[in-house]
Amino acid sequence: MAKRSCANTRWQKEQRFCLLTGGSLTRGVFFRWTPVVRSQSTDAFPDDSDAKETQRLKDEETEYENDIKVKILDAALGYVDISGWSKEALAQGAESLGYPSVTHGLFPKGGVELVHHFYQRANDRLSSELPSDIQEAHLDPLKAKNDLKILRLAVEKRLRMNADHIFTSRWTEALGLMAFPPNAPSSLKLLANLVDEMWFHAGDTSADFSWYTKRALLATVYKSTEMSMIQDRSDDFKSTWEFLDRRIDEMDQLRDCPKKLEEASVVMKGFYQTALNVIGVPDRRKME
Amino acid sequence: MLLMRFVKYSLTDSFTSFQNGKLQTAFVKKLHAGPYYKVSKDIKLDNLKSIGIHRIWKDYFVKKIFPLHPGTNIIDVAGGTGDIAFRMLEGLDRQNKNSNSSTDDDSGSRKNTTILISDINQAMLDVGKKRALTMNLQSDGLSWLCANAQELPLPENSFDLYTIAFGIRNVTDVSKALDEAYRILRPGGRFMCLEFSHVKNPLLKWAYDTYSFQVIPPLGEVVAGDWKSYQYLVESIRKFPTQDEFKNMIEEAGFRSVRYENLSFGVVSIHSGYKI
């Protein structure tokens, strides 16, 4: 890649640095690494053979861009009840921070990026607040019998975070956007991370196939409860929590399934042997 | 007549040096005065060249800008004939109609949005002005400026959106134009560029090359009587940097979050960057 090698580049970029901090946007953090790094190096541009340095600078750039994106997303969340999960909300969020409204183009997928941001924020909040809630409820994750109780707590807590948007009828829009085929993979990833977090806090240490079945089960419970919640008109979502209790009981019953199947198989084996004896098929093992 | 002969002569002369790989600056300056004047008279040739798809490309390009809020200052560079600007005005009308219930004033938010159309060629601007009159568009926010994209006589930090459609290819020093774009944009402003680019798929590339070199110049000869300038057009498209190279150039100018989107498998590409 041919880089512009004249010293003008360094000077111009520093001038921009002053413009940015001295400009109309004083609310945002507008530091740039360029002046510091370039004044330290003796070359006009970073030495390409130092791959680690260029990678570090690239990472800083990405981090800087992501910071701004996150700021705009957070600001845009406040406009969701007026404008929905859309580019309009993003534009309004950007304007509230002092950026021109065209900055909504930083989010090419539009409204769904806002939904995913909200979802991720809620997941993060759950991860940080759940341990203290578990302690308050006097449940010990190390004891196996408490895991379903912790899950019940976690699912209710997480679903309550969507309550504000359910009141304004915007959550159905969000669910629709997440289910849209191009967005479905990222939405599923968020859901997968969520159920994984919940099982982790419930004390799951499984290392076999049940790791997958447990999470799949919890994902169906979570989703069905969410569907029940968006149609719920009862006071403080009471019928949703009763629905959740029923689903958790079903999970409990399913847990006993393998044991019951084993017992059942012993009985079945017995029936099979009896049937053979009745017919007269000789038992080869006894004969030898 | 004499002028046209002079133009043709200068074209043939500099054309060989272009074919040798060197793009003469003087040639490009003459080009802006000469054949593009002729080309501007035959805008219907654009339809033939791109089989009418250029309209879809421009529609898509303008759609990406919306939603646009009142108070946005837009500059459309190399947009003499007003294609992009008029689409923006139509889009603003549509946007205001949809959100009419929320606004109180009846003139809508269009009043505060300004669009400045700039072009190096005054003839293109005249064509644009004529079109504006015939299209019955409310053009109170529209202004026209004849200027070189490399040296815009405009103050810094004065625009929110800088668009350039099929124009940056004809600029002699693309980096200078990008620097100017960075200078006149406000912090948070967006740079958007629609330009012919490179097709990666080998089969499509072969088809595209054949069409470009075998069909377009003869078409230019038949419709506008000018083979050489259409040959120049097609060759300048090949000379322009690839999508990634251009993306790097935009980043060098200081823009961030630069990304590109290919349309029609890479025949055309939209580059977008932010001054953040």
Side-chain angles (χ1 to χ4, degrees):
Chain A
M1 178 180 81
K3 279 203 179 150
R4 289 163 66 211
S5 56
C6 61
N8 262 342
T9 314
R10 192 175 4 155
W11 179 79
Q12 276 177 341
K13 289 230 162 115
E14 283 176 353
Q15 193 185 37
R16 269 179 222 127
F17 167 74
C18 297
L19 275 174
L20 282 173
T21 53
S24 57
L25 289 163
T26 49
R27 273 177 274 175
V29 176
F30 281 99
F31 66 92
R32 282 202 69 163
W33 51 266
T34 32
V36 176
V37 172
R38 287 184 188 211
S39 61
Q40 280 177 354
S41 71
T42 48
D43 300 334
F45 49 90
D47 193 356
D48 263 60
S49 62
D50 190 5
K52 237 197 252 177
E53 181 67 16
T54 11
Q55 188 54 45
R56 188 182 71 81
L57 295 173
K58 276 198 196 138
D59 290 341
E60 276 187 33
E61 281 278 314
T62 331
E63 210 184 292
Y64 178 77
E65 285 172 29
N66 282 340
D67 278 341
I68 296 184
K69 280 188 174 175
V70 162
K71 267 198 220 113
I72 296 180
L73 285 166
D74 281 337
L77 282 175
Y79 294 93
V80 165
D81 42 354
I82 317 167
S83 320
W85 305 91
S86 63
K87 284 195 172 182
E88 183 60 44
L90 288 165
Q92 286 171 324
E95 274 198 326
S96 72
L97 288 174
Y99 293 103
S101 64
V102 288
T103 325
H104 69 73
L106 277 168
F107 311 101
K109 285 190 247 170
V112 78
E113 296 210 30
L114 196 51
V115 178
H116 284 163
H117 176 74
F118 172 78
Y119 206 101
Q120 185 60 56
R121 272 264 184 268
N123 287 1
D124 293 338
R125 227 182 92 191
L126 181 77
S127 308
S128 56
E129 292 177 10
L130 198 55
S132 51
D133 283 353
I134 294 171
Q135 272 198 327
E136 270 179 36
H138 305 292
L139 292 165
D140 188 4
L142 295 172
K143 294 214 178 80
K145 62 181 170 75
N146 282 335
D147 57 357
L148 287 178
K149 294 201 190 92
I150 295 174
L151 287 178
R152 162 100 177 58
L153 192 74
V155 172
E156 184 182 335
K157 187 178 172 59
R158 178 60 181 82
L159 284 173
R160 279 199 190 272
M161 293 182 197
N162 299 337
D164 287 335
H165 292 292
I166 292 179
F167 288 139
T168 55
S169 310
R170 290 292 183 191
W171 193 242
T172 41
E173 190 186 327
L175 287 174
L177 278 169
M178 285 205 289
F180 197 54
N183 308 325
S186 336
S187 315
L188 277 173
K189 199 167 116 181
L190 284 167
L191 179 63
N193 289 340
L194 175 65
V195 295
D196 189 26
E197 269 299 313
M198 287 196 204
W199 266 114
F200 170 75
H201 286 290
D204 177 44
T205 51
S206 54
D208 53 356
F209 195 73
S210 69
W211 189 94
Y212 295 95
T213 54
K214 279 180 178 171
R215 278 147 186 79
L217 208 55
L218 182 58
T220 50
V221 166
Y222 178 82
K223 262 298 168 186
S224 54
T225 320
E226 194 175 23
M227 291 295 139
S228 153
M229 197 172 171
I230 55 180
Q231 300 170 53
D232 195 355
R233 297 271 177 273
S234 63
D235 190 29
D236 194 35
F237 302 110
K238 216 161 63 98
S239 47
T240 306
W241 309 135
E242 286 165 12
F243 178 92
L244 179 60
D245 284 327
R246 291 198 295 273
R247 300 284 85 74
I248 299 284
D249 286 337
E250 279 173 13
M251 275 184 82
D252 203 6
Q253 287 167 13
L254 274 170
R255 261 218 293 226
D256 297 334
C257 226
K259 272 187 234 139
K260 291 208 181 106
L261 276 171
E262 248 188 80
E263 289 168 21
S265 71
V266 168
V267 173
M268 291 310 293
K269 262 194 202 161
F271 272 129
Y272 177 69
Q273 272 307 317
T274 316
L276 285 179
N277 292 342
V278 161
I279 299 170
V281 171
D283 196 344
R284 273 198 223 110
R285 268 181 282 155
K286 278 195 180 148
M287 285 185 74
E288 282 160 36
Chain B
M1 254 340 270
L2 254 159
L3 177 70
M4 280 167 69
R5 227 184 272 158
F6 166 75
V7 159
K8 269 201 174 136
Y9 166 79
S10 61
L11 263 181
T12 348
D13 197 29
S14 320
F15 192 61
T16 41
S17 57
F18 176 65
Q19 278 183 320
N20 290 339
K22 270 201 273 174
L23 189 63
Q24 303 279 354
T25 314
F27 166 60
V28 176
K29 283 215 176 105
K30 269 186 230 150
L31 188 71
H32 288 308
Y36 268 95
Y37 171 70
K38 296 200 303 192
V39 167
S40 73
K41 287 184 145 192
D42 256 344
I43 297 170
K44 34 189 141 120
L45 196 73
D46 277 343
N47 282 343
L48 287 169
K49 276 195 310 196
S50 63
I51 325 167
I53 304 178
H54 77 290
R55 281 205 206 97
I56 303 175
W57 292 329
K58 287 178 185 162
D59 286 340
Y60 184 77
F61 180 65
V62 172
K63 220 168 79 168
K64 288 182 88 92
I65 301 168
F66 289 94
L68 221 57
H69 282 186
T72 310
N73 299 321
I74 306 171
I75 178 168
D76 182 26
V77 178
T81 50
D83 274 341
I84 301 293
F86 298 151
R87 281 177 169 81
M88 283 193 220
L89 289 172
E90 283 170 11
L92 279 167
D93 278 336
R94 223 177 296 132
Q95 189 186 264
N96 292 337
K97 233 188 281 174
N98 289 341
S99 65
N100 235 351
S101 50
S102 54
T103 50
D104 288 325
D105 48 306
D106 17 52
S107 55
S109 53
R110 217 240 258 146
K111 237 193 185 167
N112 299 341
T113 310
T114 59
I115 306 179
L116 170 66
I117 303 177
S118 113
D119 200 302
I120 195 172
N121 192 333
Q122 184 58 47
M124 296 278 239
L125 290 170
D126 292 336
V127 171
K129 283 183 192 158
K130 243 193 280 175
R131 281 184 69 202
L133 292 169
T134 56
M135 280 174 88
N136 281 336
L137 276 175
Q138 238 189 310
S139 45
D140 31 339
L142 218 56
S143 35
W144 311 80
L145 173 70
C146 183
N148 188 339
Q150 291 165 153
E151 279 150 358
L152 292 164
L154 296 160
E156 55 209 12
N157 293 351
S158 45
F159 291 94
D160 298 310
L161 178 65
Y162 177 110
T163 57
I164 181 166
F166 301 123
I168 204 151
R169 201 180 70 249
N170 301 312
V171 167
T172 330
D173 189 352
V174 177
S175 311
K176 253 184 155 187
L178 293 172
D179 280 338
E180 274 296 283
Y182 192 87
R183 184 182 68 86
I184 65 168
L185 275 175
R186 222 171 260 134
R190 185 178 194 183
F191 166 86
M192 283 184 78
C193 167
L194 177 70
E195 192 51 75
F196 284 108
S197 207
H198 297 250
V199 179
K200 288 218 168 62
N201 182 314
L203 191 66
L204 288 171
K205 193 168 187 310
W206 173 84
Y208 179 52
D209 284 346
T210 320
Y211 179 74
S212 301
F213 288 101
Q214 310 300 337
V215 177
I216 292 180
L219 217 59
E221 181 62 43
V222 163
V223 179
D226 193 357
W227 178 297
K228 290 275 160 62
S229 55
Y230 283 96
Q231 178 103 18
Y232 163 76
L233 226 90
V234 167
E235 294 201 359
S236 72
I237 293 174
R238 296 298 178 284
K239 269 268 174 182
F240 195 70
T242 62
Q243 283 90 325
D244 286 309
E245 283 167 16
F246 190 47
K247 173 172 174 258
N248 287 334
M249 289 170 79
I250 300 175
E251 280 173 347
E252 285 278 302
F255 290 101
R256 289 194 143 115
S257 250
V258 181
R259 61 173 80 89
Y260 63 85
E261 185 183 345
N262 281 340
L263 302 179
S264 305
F265 302 106
V267 173
V268 148
S269 165
I270 300 177
H271 282 79
S272 151
Y274 295 84
K275 179 176 173 173
I276 49 171

